[in-house]
Amino acid sequence: VSQAVGAALIPVCSAALGRRDFVKAEAGYRYSLVVTMGIMIAIAAVLFVFAEWAIIPFTYSETMVGFRPEFTHVLRIYALLIPFIGMIDIGSSILQSLRLAQVSMISSFARNILIVVMLFFASSVSLDAIYWSLFVAEVIGGILMLWLAKVGLKHYRHGKEQRTVT
Protein backbone atom coordinates (compact mmCIF):
# COMPACT_ATOMS: atom_id res chain seq x y z
CA VAL A 1 0.00 0.00 0.00
CA SER A 2 2.66 2.51 1.02
CA GLN A 3 4.74 1.78 -2.07
CA ALA A 4 1.72 2.28 -4.35
CA VAL A 5 0.76 5.56 -2.68
CA GLY A 6 4.40 6.66 -2.72
CA ALA A 7 4.72 5.84 -6.41
CA ALA A 8 1.62 7.94 -7.14
CA LEU A 9 2.94 10.76 -4.96
CA ILE A 10 6.13 11.26 -6.98
CA PRO A 11 4.61 12.56 -10.26
CA VAL A 12 1.88 14.54 -8.48
CA CYS A 13 4.30 16.37 -6.20
CA SER A 14 6.91 16.72 -8.95
CA ALA A 15 4.35 18.47 -11.17
CA ALA A 16 3.24 20.75 -8.34
CA LEU A 17 6.83 21.60 -7.45
CA GLY A 18 7.63 22.23 -11.12
CA ARG A 19 4.85 24.86 -11.12
CA ARG A 20 6.17 26.19 -7.78
CA ASP A 21 2.85 25.34 -6.20
CA PHE A 22 4.27 24.45 -2.81
CA VAL A 23 0.84 24.40 -1.19
CA LYS A 24 -0.36 21.62 -3.53
CA ALA A 25 2.89 19.67 -3.14
CA GLU A 26 2.69 19.82 0.64
CA ALA A 27 -1.02 18.98 0.55
CA GLY A 28 -0.27 15.96 -1.65
CA TYR A 29 2.43 14.87 0.76
CA ARG A 30 0.18 15.26 3.81
CA TYR A 31 -2.72 13.49 2.08
CA SER A 32 -0.47 10.59 1.03
CA LEU A 33 0.93 10.33 4.53
CA VAL A 34 -2.51 10.34 6.16
CA VAL A 35 -3.92 7.75 3.73
CA THR A 36 -0.86 5.53 4.05
CA MET A 37 -0.70 5.74 7.83
CA GLY A 38 -4.43 5.09 8.15
CA ILE A 39 -4.27 1.97 6.00
CA MET A 40 -1.00 0.74 7.50
CA ILE A 41 -2.23 1.20 11.07
CA ALA A 42 -5.43 -0.67 10.19
CA ILE A 43 -3.43 -3.53 8.67
CA ALA A 44 -1.12 -3.58 11.69
CA ALA A 45 -4.07 -3.65 14.10
CA VAL A 46 -5.76 -6.52 12.25
CA LEU A 47 -2.53 -8.52 12.11
CA PHE A 48 -1.82 -7.83 15.78
CA VAL A 49 -5.29 -8.86 16.93
CA PHE A 50 -5.60 -11.89 14.65
CA ALA A 51 -1.95 -13.00 14.77
CA GLU A 52 -2.85 -16.42 16.18
CA TRP A 53 -5.22 -17.06 13.28
CA ALA A 54 -2.83 -15.66 10.67
CA ILE A 55 -0.10 -18.07 11.78
CA ILE A 56 -2.20 -21.23 11.44
CA PRO A 57 -1.57 -21.81 7.70
CA PHE A 58 2.19 -21.68 8.36
CA THR A 59 2.06 -24.01 11.35
CA TYR A 60 -0.57 -26.47 10.19
CA SER A 61 1.56 -29.61 10.26
CA GLU A 62 2.08 -31.58 13.47
CA THR A 63 5.78 -30.72 13.56
CA MET A 64 5.10 -26.95 13.39
CA VAL A 65 2.30 -26.65 15.98
CA GLY A 66 4.83 -26.14 18.77
CA PHE A 67 6.16 -23.03 17.03
CA ARG A 68 2.80 -21.23 16.96
CA PRO A 69 3.32 -19.18 20.15
CA GLU A 70 6.75 -17.95 18.98
CA PHE A 71 5.50 -17.18 15.46
CA THR A 72 2.52 -15.31 16.91
CA HIS A 73 4.84 -13.30 19.14
CA VAL A 74 7.08 -12.37 16.18
CA LEU A 75 4.13 -11.47 13.98
CA ARG A 76 2.79 -9.13 16.67
CA ILE A 77 6.14 -7.38 16.96
CA TYR A 78 6.43 -7.02 13.20
CA ALA A 79 2.83 -5.82 12.95
CA LEU A 80 3.85 -2.91 15.17
CA LEU A 81 6.50 -1.81 12.69
CA ILE A 82 4.19 -1.78 9.64
CA PRO A 83 3.28 1.94 10.00
CA PHE A 84 6.98 2.84 10.13
CA ILE A 85 7.56 1.08 6.82
CA GLY A 86 4.85 3.38 5.43
CA MET A 87 6.73 6.41 6.77
CA ILE A 88 9.88 5.25 5.01
CA ASP A 89 8.10 4.79 1.67
CA ILE A 90 6.27 8.14 1.74
CA GLY A 91 9.32 10.06 2.97
CA SER A 92 11.43 8.48 0.25
CA SER A 93 8.85 9.38 -2.40
CA ILE A 94 8.71 13.05 -1.46
CA LEU A 95 12.52 13.20 -1.44
CA GLN A 96 12.48 11.76 -4.96
CA SER A 97 9.98 14.46 -5.98
CA LEU A 98 12.38 17.06 -4.62
CA ARG A 99 15.20 15.54 -6.68
CA LEU A 100 16.85 14.39 -3.47
CA ALA A 101 16.84 10.67 -4.19
CA GLN A 102 20.44 10.46 -3.00
CA VAL A 103 19.33 11.63 0.47
CA SER A 104 16.74 8.88 0.53
CA MET A 105 19.35 6.36 -0.58
CA ILE A 106 21.82 7.47 2.10
CA SER A 107 19.08 7.28 4.74
CA SER A 108 18.18 3.75 3.62
CA PHE A 109 21.84 2.77 3.65
CA ALA A 110 22.26 4.19 7.17
CA ARG A 111 19.11 2.37 8.33
CA ASN A 112 20.42 -0.91 6.90
CA ILE A 113 23.79 -0.42 8.62
CA LEU A 114 21.92 0.26 11.87
CA ILE A 115 19.90 -2.93 11.38
CA VAL A 116 23.06 -5.00 10.83
CA VAL A 117 24.80 -3.52 13.87
CA MET A 118 21.75 -3.95 16.10
CA LEU A 119 21.19 -7.52 14.90
CA PHE A 120 24.86 -8.30 15.50
CA PHE A 121 24.65 -7.26 19.14
CA ALA A 122 21.14 -8.64 19.66
CA SER A 123 22.15 -12.05 18.31
CA SER A 124 24.30 -12.60 21.37
CA VAL A 125 21.38 -11.84 23.69
CA SER A 126 18.24 -13.68 22.56
CA LEU A 127 15.79 -14.21 19.74
CA ASP A 128 13.49 -11.67 21.35
CA ALA A 129 16.29 -9.10 21.29
CA ILE A 130 16.70 -9.76 17.56
CA TYR A 131 13.00 -9.13 16.92
CA TRP A 132 12.94 -5.94 18.93
CA SER A 133 16.22 -4.63 17.50
CA LEU A 134 14.75 -4.85 14.00
CA PHE A 135 11.66 -3.05 15.27
CA VAL A 136 13.73 -0.25 16.85
CA ALA A 137 15.84 0.17 13.70
CA GLU A 138 12.74 0.49 11.51
CA VAL A 139 11.16 2.99 13.92
CA ILE A 140 14.32 5.10 13.78
CA GLY A 141 14.38 4.74 9.97
CA GLY A 142 10.74 5.79 9.61
CA ILE A 143 11.12 8.83 11.83
CA LEU A 144 14.40 9.80 10.13
CA MET A 145 12.86 9.53 6.65
CA LEU A 146 9.86 11.68 7.59
CA TRP A 147 12.14 14.25 9.20
CA LEU A 148 14.34 14.35 6.08
CA ALA A 149 11.23 14.78 3.92
CA LYS A 150 10.01 17.66 6.08
CA VAL A 151 13.42 19.35 6.05
CA GLY A 152 13.74 18.75 2.30
CA LEU A 153 10.36 20.36 1.60
CA LYS A 154 11.23 23.32 3.81
CA HIS A 155 14.60 23.91 2.15
CA TYR A 156 13.23 23.41 -1.35
CA ARG A 157 10.43 25.89 -0.75
CA HIS A 158 12.76 28.41 0.88
CA GLY A 159 15.32 28.07 -1.94
CA LYS A 160 12.72 28.49 -4.72
CA GLU A 161 11.08 31.46 -3.01
CA GLN A 162 14.52 33.12 -2.61
CA ARG A 163 15.27 32.67 -6.35
CA THR A 164 11.87 34.07 -7.30
CA VAL A 165 12.38 37.23 -5.22
CA THR A 166 15.89 38.03 -6.50
Side-chain angles (χ1 to χ4, degrees):
V1 172
S2 60
Q3 289 180 345
V5 173
L9 172 67
I10 295 170
V12 170
C13 283
S14 295
L17 291 168
R19 290 186 316 237
R20 295 179 194 219
D21 191 346
F22 305 111
V23 174
K24 278 191 179 176
E26 289 171 355
Y29 169 64
R30 278 191 306 278
Y31 177 77
S32 297
L33 187 59
V34 167
V35 166
T36 297
M37 293 308 292
I39 293 170
M40 299 299 263
I41 288 170
I43 291 170
V46 168
L47 267 178
F48 190 89
V49 170
F50 295 107
E52 292 173 3
W53 291 95
I55 289 302
I56 289 173
F58 304 102
T59 58
Y60 191 73
S61 73
E62 293 281 330
T63 58
M64 295 298 291
V65 170
F67 293 109
R68 278 188 190 161
E70 184 72 16
F71 284 10
T72 301
H73 175 65
V74 173
L75 183 57
R76 285 192 170 129
I77 292 171
Y78 290 167
L80 295 174
L81 71 79
I82 289 174
F84 297 97
I85 301 293
M87 290 179 181
I88 292 167
D89 291 339
I90 297 301
S92 176
S93 295
I94 196 66
L95 288 169
Q96 290 176 50
S97 304
L98 295 167
R99 296 183 181 167
L100 295 173
Q102 69 278 10
V103 173
S104 175
M105 181 195 65
I106 291 167
S107 172
S108 293
F109 183 73
R111 187 181 84 250
N112 287 332
I113 294 296
L114 177 65
I115 289 170
V116 169
V117 170
M118 290 181 75
L119 290 176
F120 173 77
F121 288 110
S123 67
S124 64
V125 178
S126 69
L127 272 175
D128 213 41
I130 291 172
Y131 309 146
W132 285 107
S133 65
L134 180 61
F135 172 79
V136 168
E138 292 295 348
V139 168
I140 291 169
I143 292 169
L144 174 64
M145 194 66 82
L146 278 189
W147 178 76
L148 289 170
K150 183 177 179 179
V151 169
L153 274 169
K154 180 180 172 185
H155 285 297
Y156 188 87
R157 182 178 192 160
H158 181 70
K160 291 294 183 179
E161 287 174 349
Q162 289 268 330
R163 286 188 221 143
T164 304
V165 172
T166 57

Coordinates of all heavy atoms in Angstrom, one line a residue, residues 71-127:
F71 N 5.9 -17.8 16.7 CA 5.5 -17.2 15.5 C 4.5 -16.1 15.7 O 4.6 -15.0 15.1 CB 4.9 -18.2 14.4 CG 6.0 -19.0 13.8 CD1 7.3 -19.1 14.2 CD2 5.6 -19.8 12.7 CE1 8.2 -19.9 13.6 CE2 6.6 -20.6 12.1 CZ 7.9 -20.7 12.5
T72 N 3.5 -16.3 16.6 CA 2.5 -15.3 16.9 C 3.2 -14.1 17.6 O 2.9 -13.0 17.2 CB 1.5 -15.9 17.9 OG1 0.8 -17.0 17.2 CG2 0.4 -14.9 18.2
H73 N 4.1 -14.4 18.5 CA 4.8 -13.3 19.1 C 5.6 -12.4 18.1 O 5.5 -11.2 18.2 CB 5.8 -13.9 20.2 CG 6.7 -13.0 20.9 ND1 6.2 -12.0 21.7 CD2 8.0 -12.8 20.8 CE1 7.3 -11.3 22.2 NE2 8.4 -11.8 21.6
V74 N 6.3 -13.1 17.2 CA 7.1 -12.4 16.2 C 6.2 -11.6 15.3 O 6.4 -10.4 15.0 CB 7.9 -13.4 15.4 CG1 8.6 -12.7 14.2 CG2 9.0 -14.0 16.2
L75 N 5.1 -12.2 14.9 CA 4.1 -11.5 14.0 C 3.6 -10.2 14.7 O 3.4 -9.2 14.0 CB 3.0 -12.4 13.5 CG 2.0 -11.8 12.6 CD1 2.7 -11.3 11.3 CD2 0.9 -12.8 12.2
R76 N 3.3 -10.3 15.9 CA 2.8 -9.1 16.7 C 3.8 -8.0 16.7 O 3.5 -6.9 16.6 CB 2.3 -9.5 18.1 CG 1.0 -10.3 18.0 CD 0.3 -10.4 19.3 NE -1.0 -10.9 19.2 CZ -1.5 -12.0 19.8 NH1 -0.8 -12.6 20.7 NH2 -2.8 -12.3 19.5
I77 N 5.1 -8.4 16.9 CA 6.1 -7.4 17.0 C 6.3 -6.7 15.6 O 6.3 -5.5 15.5 CB 7.5 -8.0 17.4 CG1 7.4 -8.4 18.9 CG2 8.6 -7.0 17.2 CD1 8.6 -9.2 19.3
Y78 N 6.3 -7.6 14.6 CA 6.4 -7.0 13.2 C 5.2 -6.2 12.7 O 5.3 -5.3 11.9 CB 6.8 -8.1 12.2 CG 8.2 -8.7 12.4 CD1 8.6 -9.8 11.8 CD2 9.1 -8.0 13.2 CE1 9.9 -10.3 12.0 CE2 10.4 -8.5 13.4 CZ 10.8 -9.6 12.8 OH 12.0 -10.1 13.0
A79 N 4.0 -6.6 13.3 CA 2.8 -5.8 13.0 C 3.0 -4.4 13.5 O 2.5 -3.4 12.8 CB 1.6 -6.5 13.6
L80 N 3.6 -4.2 14.6 CA 3.8 -2.9 15.2 C 4.7 -2.0 14.3 O 4.6 -0.8 14.3 CB 4.5 -3.0 16.6 CG 3.6 -3.7 17.6 CD1 4.4 -3.8 18.9 CD2 2.3 -2.9 17.9
L81 N 5.6 -2.6 13.5 CA 6.5 -1.8 12.7 C 5.9 -1.5 11.3 O 6.5 -0.7 10.6 CB 7.9 -2.4 12.6 CG 8.1 -3.7 11.8 CD1 8.2 -3.5 10.3 CD2 9.4 -4.3 12.3
I82 N 4.8 -2.0 11.0 CA 4.2 -1.8 9.6 C 4.0 -0.3 9.4 O 4.3 0.2 8.3 CB 2.9 -2.6 9.5 CG1 3.2 -4.1 9.3 CG2 2.1 -2.1 8.3 CD1 2.0 -5.0 9.3
P83 N 3.4 0.5 10.3 CA 3.3 1.9 10.0 C 4.6 2.7 9.7 O 4.7 3.6 8.9 CB 2.6 2.5 11.3 CG 1.9 1.3 11.9 CD 2.8 0.1 11.6
F84 N 5.7 2.2 10.3 CA 7.0 2.8 10.1 C 7.5 2.5 8.7 O 8.2 3.4 8.2 CB 7.9 2.4 11.2 CG 7.5 2.9 12.6 CD1 6.8 2.1 13.4 CD2 7.7 4.2 13.0 CE1 6.3 2.5 14.7 CE2 7.2 4.7 14.2 CZ 6.5 3.8 15.0
I85 N 7.2 1.4 8.2 CA 7.6 1.1 6.8 C 6.8 2.1 5.9 O 7.4 2.5 4.9 CB 7.2 -0.4 6.5 CG1 7.9 -1.4 7.4 CG2 7.4 -0.7 5.0 CD1 9.3 -1.5 7.2
G86 N 5.6 2.4 6.2 CA 4.9 3.4 5.4 C 5.5 4.7 5.5 O 5.6 5.5 4.5
M87 N 6.0 5.1 6.6 CA 6.7 6.4 6.8 C 8.0 6.4 5.9 O 8.2 7.5 5.2 CB 7.2 6.6 8.2 CG 6.1 6.9 9.2 SD 6.9 7.1 10.8 CE 5.5 7.3 11.8
I88 N 8.7 5.3 5.8 CA 9.9 5.2 5.0 C 9.5 5.4 3.5 O 10.2 6.2 2.8 CB 10.6 3.9 5.3 CG1 11.2 3.9 6.7 CG2 11.7 3.7 4.2 CD1 11.7 2.5 7.1
D89 N 8.5 4.7 3.1 CA 8.1 4.8 1.7 C 7.6 6.2 1.3 O 8.0 6.7 0.2 CB 7.0 3.8 1.4 CG 7.6 2.3 1.4 OD1 8.8 2.1 1.3 OD2 6.7 1.4 1.6
I90 N 6.8 6.8 2.1 CA 6.3 8.1 1.7 C 7.4 9.2 1.8 O 7.5 10.1 1.0 CB 5.1 8.5 2.6 CG1 3.9 7.5 2.4 CG2 4.6 9.9 2.4 CD1 3.4 7.5 1.0
G91 N 8.2 9.1 2.9 CA 9.3 10.1 3.0 C 10.3 9.9 1.8 O 10.7 10.9 1.2
S92 N 10.6 8.7 1.4 CA 11.4 8.5 0.3 C 10.8 9.0 -1.0 O 11.5 9.6 -1.9 CB 11.7 7.0 0.1 OG 12.4 6.7 -1.1
S93 N 9.5 8.9 -1.2 CA 8.9 9.4 -2.4 C 8.9 10.9 -2.5 O 9.1 11.4 -3.6 CB 7.4 8.9 -2.4 OG 7.4 7.5 -2.6
I94 N 8.7 11.6 -1.4 CA 8.7 13.1 -1.5 C 10.1 13.5 -1.7 O 10.4 14.5 -2.4 CB 8.1 13.7 -0.2 CG1 7.8 15.2 -0.5 CG2 9.0 13.6 1.0 CD1 6.7 15.5 -1.5
L95 N 11.1 12.8 -1.2 CA 12.5 13.2 -1.4 C 12.8 13.0 -2.9 O 13.6 13.8 -3.5 CB 13.5 12.4 -0.6 CG 13.5 12.8 0.9 CD1 14.2 11.8 1.8 CD2 14.0 14.2 1.1
Q96 N 12.3 12.0 -3.5 CA 12.5 11.8 -5.0 C 11.8 12.9 -5.8 O 12.4 13.3 -6.8 CB 11.9 10.4 -5.4 CG 12.7 9.2 -4.9 CD 12.1 7.9 -5.2 OE1 11.8 7.7 -6.4 NE2 12.0 7.0 -4.2
S97 N 10.7 13.3 -5.3 CA 10.0 14.5 -6.0 C 10.8 15.7 -5.9 O 10.8 16.6 -6.8 CB 8.6 14.8 -5.3 OG 7.8 13.7 -5.3
L98 N 11.5 15.9 -4.8 CA 12.4 17.1 -4.6 C 13.7 16.9 -5.3 O 14.6 17.8 -5.1 CB 12.6 17.3 -3.1 CG 11.4 17.6 -2.3 CD1 11.6 17.5 -0.8 CD2 10.9 19.0 -2.6
R99 N 13.9 15.8 -6.0 CA 15.2 15.5 -6.7 C 16.3 15.3 -5.6 O 17.5 15.7 -5.8 CB 15.6 16.6 -7.7 CG 14.6 16.7 -8.8 CD 15.1 17.7 -9.8 NE 14.1 17.8 -10.9 CZ 14.1 18.8 -11.8 NH1 15.0 19.7 -11.7 NH2 13.2 18.8 -12.7
L100 N 15.9 14.7 -4.5 CA 16.9 14.4 -3.5 C 16.9 12.9 -3.2 O 16.9 12.4 -2.1 CB 16.5 15.1 -2.2 CG 16.5 16.6 -2.2 CD1 15.9 17.2 -0.9 CD2 18.0 17.1 -2.4
A101 N 16.8 12.1 -4.3 CA 16.8 10.7 -4.2 C 18.1 10.2 -3.5 O 18.0 9.2 -2.8 CB 16.7 10.0 -5.6
Q102 N 19.2 10.9 -3.7 CA 20.4 10.5 -3.0 C 20.3 10.6 -1.5 O 20.9 9.7 -0.8 CB 21.7 11.2 -3.5 CG 21.7 12.7 -3.1 CD 20.9 13.6 -4.0 OE1 20.1 13.2 -4.9 NE2 21.0 14.9 -3.8
V103 N 19.6 11.5 -1.0 CA 19.3 11.6 0.5 C 18.5 10.4 1.0 O 18.9 9.8 2.0 CB 18.6 13.0 0.8 CG1 18.2 13.0 2.3 CG2 19.5 14.2 0.4
S104 N 17.5 10.1 0.2 CA 16.7 8.9 0.5 C 17.6 7.6 0.5 O 17.5 6.8 1.4 CB 15.6 8.7 -0.5 OG 14.9 7.6 -0.3
M105 N 18.5 7.5 -0.5 CA 19.3 6.4 -0.6 C 20.3 6.3 0.6 O 20.5 5.2 1.2 CB 20.1 6.4 -1.9 CG 21.1 5.2 -2.1 SD 22.3 5.4 -3.3 CE 23.3 6.7 -2.7
I106 N 20.9 7.4 1.0 CA 21.8 7.5 2.1 C 21.1 7.1 3.4 O 21.6 6.4 4.2 CB 22.5 8.8 2.2 CG1 23.5 9.0 1.0 CG2 23.3 9.0 3.5 CD1 24.0 10.4 0.8
S107 N 19.9 7.6 3.6 CA 19.1 7.3 4.7 C 18.8 5.8 4.8 O 18.9 5.2 5.9 CB 17.8 8.1 4.7 OG 16.9 7.6 5.8
S108 N 18.4 5.2 3.7 CA 18.2 3.8 3.6 C 19.4 3.0 3.9 O 19.4 2.0 4.6 CB 17.6 3.3 2.3 OG 16.4 3.9 2.1
F109 N 20.6 3.4 3.4 CA 21.8 2.8 3.7 C 22.2 2.8 5.1 O 22.6 1.8 5.7 CB 22.9 3.4 2.8 CG 24.3 2.8 3.0 CD1 24.5 1.5 2.4 CD2 25.3 3.4 3.7 CE1 25.8 0.9 2.6 CE2 26.5 2.8 3.9 CZ 26.8 1.6 3.3
A110 N 22.0 4.0 5.7 CA 22.3 4.2 7.2 C 21.3 3.3 8.0 O 21.8 2.7 9.0 CB 22.1 5.7 7.6
R111 N 20.1 3.2 7.6 CA 19.1 2.4 8.3 C 19.5 0.9 8.2 O 19.5 0.2 9.2 CB 17.7 2.6 7.8 CG 16.6 1.8 8.6 CD 15.2 2.0 8.0 NE 15.0 1.0 7.0 CZ 14.9 1.3 5.7 NH1 14.9 2.5 5.2 NH2 14.7 0.4 4.8
N112 N 20.0 0.5 7.1 CA 20.4 -0.9 6.9 C 21.7 -1.2 7.7 O 21.8 -2.3 8.3 CB 20.6 -1.2 5.4 CG 19.3 -1.4 4.7 OD1 18.3 -1.7 5.3 ND2 19.3 -1.1 3.4
I113 N 22.6 -0.3 7.8 CA 23.8 -0.4 8.6 C 23.4 -0.5 10.1 O 23.9 -1.4 10.8 CB 24.8 0.7 8.4 CG1 25.4 0.7 7.0 CG2 25.9 0.7 9.5 CD1 26.2 -0.5 6.7
L114 N 22.4 0.3 10.5 CA 21.9 0.3 11.9 C 21.3 -1.1 12.2 O 21.5 -1.7 13.2 CB 20.9 1.4 12.1 CG 20.2 1.4 13.5 CD1 21.3 1.7 14.6 CD2 19.1 2.5 13.5
I115 N 20.5 -1.6 11.2 CA 19.9 -2.9 11.4 C 21.0 -4.0 11.6 O 20.9 -4.8 12.5 CB 19.0 -3.3 10.2 CG1 17.7 -2.4 10.2 CG2 18.6 -4.8 10.2 CD1 16.9 -2.5 9.0
V116 N 22.0 -4.0 10.7 CA 23.1 -5.0 10.8 C 23.8 -4.9 12.2 O 24.0 -5.9 12.8 CB 24.1 -4.9 9.7 CG1 25.3 -5.7 9.9 CG2 23.4 -5.2 8.3
V117 N 24.1 -3.7 12.6 CA 24.8 -3.5 13.9 C 23.9 -4.0 15.0 O 24.4 -4.7 15.9 CB 25.2 -2.1 14.1 CG1 25.7 -1.8 15.5 CG2 26.3 -1.7 13.0
M118 N 22.7 -3.6 15.0 CA 21.8 -3.9 16.1 C 21.5 -5.5 16.1 O 21.5 -6.1 17.2 CB 20.4 -3.2 16.0 CG 20.6 -1.7 16.3 SD 19.1 -0.8 16.2 CE 18.3 -1.3 17.8
L119 N 21.4 -6.1 15.0 CA 21.2 -7.5 14.9 C 22.4 -8.3 15.4 O 22.4 -9.3 16.0 CB 20.8 -8.0 13.5 CG 19.4 -7.6 13.0 CD1 19.2 -8.0 11.6 CD2 18.3 -8.2 13.9
F120 N 23.6 -7.7 15.1 CA 24.9 -8.3 15.5 C 24.9 -8.4 17.0 O 25.2 -9.4 17.6 CB 26.1 -7.5 15.0 CG 27.4 -8.0 15.5 CD1 28.0 -9.1 15.0 CD2 28.0 -7.3 16.5 CE1 29.2 -9.5 15.5 CE2 29.2 -7.7 17.0 CZ 29.8 -8.8 16.5
F121 N 24.6 -7.3 17.7 CA 24.6 -7.3 19.1 C 23.5 -8.0 19.7 O 23.6 -8.7 20.7 CB 24.7 -5.8 19.7 CG 26.0 -5.2 19.4 CD1 26.1 -4.1 18.5 CD2 27.1 -5.6 20.1 CE1 27.3 -3.5 18.3 CE2 28.4 -5.0 19.9 CZ 28.5 -3.9 18.9
A122 N 22.3 -7.9 19.1 CA 21.1 -8.6 19.7 C 21.3 -10.1 19.5 O 20.7 -10.9 20.3 CB 19.9 -8.2 18.9
S123 N 22.0 -10.6 18.5 CA 22.1 -12.1 18.3 C 22.9 -12.7 19.5 O 22.7 -13.9 19.6 CB 22.8 -12.3 17.0 OG 24.2 -11.9 17.0
S124 N 23.6 -12.0 20.2 CA 24.3 -12.6 21.4 C 23.4 -12.6 22.6 O 23.8 -13.1 23.7 CB 25.6 -11.9 21.6 OG 25.4 -10.6 22.0
V125 N 22.3 -11.9 22.5 CA 21.4 -11.8 23.7 C 20.3 -12.9 23.6 O 20.2 -13.8 24.5 CB 20.8 -10.4 23.8 CG1 19.8 -10.3 25.0 CG2 21.9 -9.4 23.9
S126 N 19.4 -12.7 22.7 CA 18.2 -13.7 22.6 C 17.5 -13.5 21.2 O 17.7 -12.4 20.6 CB 17.3 -13.5 23.7 OG 16.6 -12.3 23.6
L127 N 16.6 -14.4 20.9 CA 15.8 -14.2 19.7 C 14.9 -13.0 19.9 O 14.7 -12.2 19.0 CB 14.9 -15.5 19.5 CG 15.6 -16.6 18.7 CD1 14.7 -17.8 18.6 CD2 15.9 -16.1 17.3

